[in-house]
């Protein structure tokens, strides 16, 4: 009982209504960027700006609130709001024909990693390193999901889910690293 109370007190003192609201704003930004889905040739995975929103949530909000923003985004989609690419909704979307379930599940981890690295190294180079760590985590989860959950060979998963996006995501990471700032006091 004491452990639960201590954890509850720590969480309650950190995530108040202001923090909750700010993280919801970044969840909403992730929703908006999901609706800009552009199909690419030779891959079922569409191009979106979601990765940019995930990186920005980690860099601007920090590790904890960036993680929370992406959890909120997934929760809203899993309960049925049409917030995923193309206006899709529901937990069944994890197994969609675009094979993007692993990428979606990686968003909270990616935002947390991006925020954590940038908190420790607040320079532009540190923020860029955080973006790289986040993108690698998204690619890793997406690759594993395509391979195991969607039964695709690793070569196909890399060709469909990573290769078309490396350059685009690098540009997103550079842009977000340069234009974002974060208040250090909460």
């Amino acid at each position: 009982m004491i452990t639960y109370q201590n954890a509850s007190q720590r969480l309650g003192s950190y995530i108040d209504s202001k923090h909750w609201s700010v993280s919801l704003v970044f969840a909403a930004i992730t929703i908006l960027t999901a609706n800009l889905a552009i199909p690419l040739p030779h891959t079922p995975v569409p191009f979106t700006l979601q990765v940019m929103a995930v990186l920005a949530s980690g860099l601007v909000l920090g590790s904890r609130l960036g993680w929370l923003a992406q959890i909120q985004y997934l929760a809203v989609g899993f309960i049925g709001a049409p917030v995923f690419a193309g206006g899709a909704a529901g937990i069944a979307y994890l197994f969609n024909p675009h094979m993007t379930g692993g990428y979606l599940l990686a968003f909270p981890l990616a935002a947390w990693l991006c925020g954590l690295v940038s908190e420790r190294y607040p320079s532009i180079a540190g923020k860029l390193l955080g973006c790289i760590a986040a993108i690698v985590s998204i690619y890793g989860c997406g690759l594993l999901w395509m391979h195991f959950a969607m039964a695709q060979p690793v070569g196909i998963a890399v060709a469909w889910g990573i290769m078309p996006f490396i350059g685009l995501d690098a540009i997103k990471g550079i842009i977000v690293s340069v234009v974002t700032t974060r208040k250090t006091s909460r």
Side-chain angles (χ1 to χ4, degrees):
M1 185 67 172
I2 293 173
T3 305
Y4 171 76
Q5 288 176 342
N6 290 341
S8 176
Q9 289 170 351
R10 283 194 307 268
L11 184 62
S13 66
Y14 183 77
I15 301 176
D16 59 8
S17 61
K18 174 186 162 193
H19 293 118
W20 189 263
S21 300
V22 169
S23 63
L24 280 173
V25 168
F26 275 85
I29 291 170
T30 307
I31 291 167
L32 290 174
T33 59
N35 287 311
L36 302 171
I38 301 168
L40 295 178
H42 311 296
T43 178
V45 181
F47 170 78
T48 69
L49 294 176
Q50 285 176 292
V51 170
M52 193 175 228
V54 171
L55 299 175
S57 68
L59 292 177
V60 173
L61 300 177
S63 58
R64 291 180 185 169
L65 292 179
W67 172 85
L68 178 62
Q70 297 310 310
I71 290 291
Q72 291 168 333
Y73 165 67
L74 292 177
V76 167
F78 290 162
I79 61 172
V83 300
F84 299 133
I91 200 157
Y93 184 72
L94 291 175
F95 297 98
N96 70 71
H98 301 296
M99 297 185 248
T100 56
Y103 301 104
L104 291 172
L105 292 176
F107 285 178
L109 170 65
W112 180 80
L113 276 173
C114 193
L116 184 68
V117 173
S118 71
E119 288 165 357
R120 295 202 176 149
Y121 307 102
S123 66
I124 290 178
K127 292 192 289 184
L128 188 56
L129 184 63
C131 289
I132 292 168
I135 291 168
V136 166
S137 71
I138 292 170
Y139 285 170
C141 291
L143 177 70
L144 289 172
W145 188 265
M146 279 188 176
H147 180 63
F148 291 110
M150 304 303 289
Q152 296 298 320
V154 172
I156 295 293
V158 170
W160 284 353
I162 295 176
M163 296 310 291
F165 302 98
I166 289 176
L168 298 169
D169 288 338
I171 292 168
K172 293 174 196 175
I174 292 167
I175 291 170
V176 172
S177 295
V178 171
V179 301
T180 57
T181 58
R182 182 172 62 89
K183 284 184 163 183
T184 56
S185 62
R186 293 207 198 284

